[in-house]
Amino acid sequence: MRLDFLADQVSAYLNALPQVQGCRLYGSLKSGAFDKYSDIDLEVDVSGMDNGQFALEIPALLSQRFPVVFFDFAPSLAPEKYIVSAAVDPENPFGIIDLSCAANPHCRTVSREELSRRNDPYSHILKLFVINLKHFIRRADCRRDMERMYRKVFPASGPALRQTEMLLDVYRWLRENAGEKQEAYVRALEPYVKEAAPFDH
């Protein structure tokens, strides 16, 4: 599904909710500087209610309208920001929707610990893998982030590996541990993993 079409669908759905004052598209899709690896950045304004609590409701709300493959909160940004990532298009694994839940006044009631407890470990690794794969293909410096991801999956790992080796090892782990919801999504990543394999930096 085209990114702009998906962004419009999600925005229209959220705008129809009584809690939502408005949705604002930002990032590369808004500026027009997007490519096939881009995601969707949306800010959801829920002024008048607790935006942290609304962030916790986002996965269930999206699941009522879209086939959510996985979701993942960003605990490290809380409580200053509440962002939840959701993948809803199995055919475009990079088209993850990053929803920033904002309000005036901003609420700080949901802790990092609460968000971490709600995250599924497999989904968290899957999100990190997609981000690292995208950055690697774009030739960004992502070795440190890739090593952190790798150690989460293989905590007893030995000497540092090449980045392509880390990607392949984590991808195999994702394939072996995918649930029914994630199987098609993880398979859709395979051409991009192969695209990344010929080079390392």
Side-chain angles (χ1 to χ4, degrees):
M1 185 184 301
R2 280 177 36 183
L3 277 184
D4 54 352
F5 182 66
L6 179 57
D8 287 345
Q9 282 195 322
V10 174
S11 294
Y13 171 68
L14 292 173
N15 269 319
L17 298 175
Q19 312 97 303
V20 175
Q21 305 301 313
C23 287
R24 180 181 68 88
L25 182 68
Y26 65 100
S28 62
L29 191 57
K30 173 69 174 177
S31 68
F34 62 94
D35 58 21
K36 66 179 180 178
Y37 310 112
S38 295
D39 56 14
I40 297 171
D41 298 305
L42 280 175
E43 182 183 80
V44 186
D45 180 3
V46 291
S47 294
M49 69 171 296
D50 187 324
N51 52 311
Q53 289 297 324
F54 182 79
L56 297 180
E57 297 171 15
I58 284 284
L61 289 169
L62 285 179
S63 296
Q64 293 175 19
R65 173 65 178 80
F66 301 95
V68 175
V69 178
F70 72 85
F71 69 88
D72 189 68
F73 295 104
S76 63
L77 301 177
E80 287 75 24
K81 286 187 177 181
Y82 293 113
I83 296 180
V84 56
S85 301
V88 301
D89 184 0
E91 296 179 0
N92 179 7
F94 294 102
I96 293 173
I97 306 161
D98 288 330
L99 288 154
S100 175
C101 299
N104 187 15
H106 175 74
C107 299
R108 300 166 58 91
T109 55
V110 179
S111 68
R112 294 183 179 189
E113 292 73 23
E114 173 67 14
L115 296 177
S116 294
R117 282 194 297 271
R118 290 178 180 247
N119 274 344
D120 168 64
Y122 180 90
S123 296
H124 184 62
I125 296 299
L126 182 52
K127 182 186 79 171
L128 295 179
F129 180 82
V130 173
I131 293 170
N132 279 306
L133 177 61
K134 169 172 64 177
H135 290 167
F136 183 73
I137 291 173
R138 285 176 168 173
R139 308 295 181 96
D141 182 9
C142 58
R143 181 173 187 91
R144 184 174 299 177
D145 290 336
M146 203 178 292
E147 287 175 345
R148 280 198 290 261
M149 172 190 70
Y150 193 81
R151 285 194 294 269
K152 286 176 185 287
V153 182
F154 306 107
S157 56
L161 300 173
R162 289 164 55 92
Q163 291 180 87
T164 48
E165 291 175 313
M166 288 189 281
L167 283 171
L168 289 170
D169 284 352
V170 174
Y171 183 66
R172 280 190 287 267
W173 180 87
L174 289 168
R175 285 287 301 264
E176 291 167 3
N177 292 279
E180 187 177 342
K181 273 188 171 183
Q182 295 91 22
E183 282 181 357
Y185 182 92
V186 173
R187 281 198 306 271
L189 282 164
E190 187 167 349
Y192 301 101
V193 175
K194 290 179 178 177
E195 181 180 341
F199 58 88
D200 209 337
H201 57 276

